[in-house]
């Protein structure tokens, strides 16, 4: 498991970047580079349930470890969600369960924000993660600045 780190400067206020990052409609837009039709379902509660889902409703079940809007959210991945069933115990899941996906937003000034994501991934997912975050963050930047 390796730590991957992505960041971008967006010429928009921090709250606008946060809102575009997590709004249902815009979340699906910037995450299309991971998987077309991606959605996020969350109760936005520390210790609650968060689902990162593909267009078929399958994906990962996670929890929020830390939430400080609009500066930070840290998700801990717990397992998979397939056909309505959570798997947090299988051998395959246990290889990566507990990994985190961290988002940090820092106001550079009133009109610029640094967006950073830090995540853990196995080697075979590096290209997928690089493509998703780099293209997704660029899309988000264009959306926020237009």
């Amino acid at each position: 498991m390796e730590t991957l780190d992505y960041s971008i400067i967006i010429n928009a206020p921090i709250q606008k970047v946060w809102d575009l990052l997590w709004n249902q409609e815009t979340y699906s837009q910037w995450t299309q580079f991971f998987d077309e039709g991606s959605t996020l379902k969350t109760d936005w509660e520390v210790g609650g349930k968060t689902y990162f889902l593909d267009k078929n409703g399958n994906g990962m079940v996670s929890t929020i470890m830390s939430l400080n809007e609009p500066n930070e959210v840290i998700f801990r991945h717990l397992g998979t969600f397939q056909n309505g069933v959570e798997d947090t115990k299988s051998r395959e899941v246990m290889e990566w369960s507990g990994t985190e996906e961290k988002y940090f937003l820092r106001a550079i000034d009133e009109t610029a924000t640094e967006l950073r994501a830090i995540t853990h991934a196995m080697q075979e997912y590096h290209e997928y993660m690089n493509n998703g975050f780099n293209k997704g963050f660029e899309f988000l930047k264009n959306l926020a600045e237009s």
Side-chain angles (χ1 to χ4, degrees), residues 17 19 24 30 38 42 74 80 96-97 101 120:
V17 175
D19 292 342
Q24 285 290 27
W30 79 264
S38 293
T42 184
I74 299 175
T80 60
W96 56 266
S97 180
E101 190 169 325
H120 304 99

Side-chain angles (χ1 to χ4, degrees), residues 59-61 78-82 84-94 96-97:
M60 291 190 305
V61 59
L78 305 175
T80 60
F81 186 77
Q82 300 292 323
V85 178
E86 292 180 16
D87 173 9
T88 58
K89 304 276 188 233
S90 70
R91 183 184 313 181
E92 296 80 21
V93 165
M94 295 306 282
W96 56 266
S97 180

Side-chain angles (χ1 to χ4, degrees), residues 1-4 6 95-96 120-130:
M1 200 70 63
E2 291 183 43
T3 301
L4 305 176
Y6 306 93
E95 290 180 12
W96 56 266
H120 304 99
M122 292 184 282
Q123 179 66 43
E124 63 259 32
Y125 293 106
H126 284 197
E127 187 176 331
Y128 171 79
M129 300 299 277
N130 289 342

Side-chain angles (χ1 to χ4, degrees), residues 47-76:
K49 290 283 180 92
T50 296
Y51 297 92
F52 294 91
L53 304 171
D54 65 17
K55 64 181 173 234
N56 299 315
N58 298 316
M60 291 190 305
V61 59
S62 305
T63 191
I64 295 174
M65 299 301 296
S66 175
L67 176 63
N68 178 19
E69 181 182 342
N71 301 91
E72 160 190 305
V73 62
I74 299 175
F75 299 99
R76 175 169 289 159

Side-chain angles (χ1 to χ4, degrees), residues 7 29 40 44 49 63 68 96 115 122 127 134 142:
S7 67
Q29 292 173 357
L40 173 73
W44 288 110
K49 290 283 180 92
T63 191
N68 178 19
W96 56 266
L115 170 60
M122 292 184 282
E127 187 176 331
N134 290 328
N142 291 334

